[in-house]
Amino acid sequence: QEPQGAKLLCDEEEGFLLGVIAKGLAGNHEHRQIGAAGAVKNCCFHKDLHCFIAEHKEIAALLVLPLVGPADGYDEEDKDGMYSGLASKCRIGS
């Protein structure tokens, strides 16, 4: 929960590293998922970074992946109403 580290991860000039790290939430490697979730959580403790994090819808989609369930539970009509990044990743739990 170091402010300097959180700011570095959310810095657009550095390539918004938090977005890169958050992609670990979509993988199948449990330790990587836990580490990615911890990094996002720690950045969320800093109110001044909320707007930077909220601008990246992909992070929100990745955070809810564990709640989505298997891809075969959704037909195309269900996926039409989802954020496109989430609909394309509806595979957690399968």
Side-chain angles (χ1 to χ4, degrees):
Q1 296 180 11
E2 289 294 322
Q4 299 88 354
K7 287 179 183 174
L8 175 68
L9 291 177
C10 293
D11 188 348
E12 292 286 343
E13 291 178 11
E14 294 292 332
F16 195 70
L17 298 173
L18 186 63
V20 175
I21 292 170
K23 290 182 181 180
L25 293 166
N28 294 325
H29 193 272
E30 182 180 349
H31 295 292
R32 190 170 298 144
Q33 288 175 329
I34 291 169
V40 173
K41 176 192 69 121
N42 287 339
C43 288
C44 289
F45 277 105
H46 305 285
K47 290 181 182 178
D48 56 327
L49 299 176
H50 287 179
C51 63
F52 297 111
I53 296 169
E55 289 175 2
H56 295 272
K57 295 178 184 175
E58 183 75 10
I59 290 182
L62 290 166
L63 286 172
V64 299
L65 275 176
L67 304 174
V68 171
D72 58 3
Y74 297 94
D75 59 22
E76 289 307 311
E77 185 178 330
D78 292 331
K79 291 180 184 181
D80 284 343
M82 291 182 185
Y83 168 68
S84 61
L86 180 60
S88 67
K89 293 181 176 90
C90 284
R91 62 179 178 69
I92 298 297
S94 57

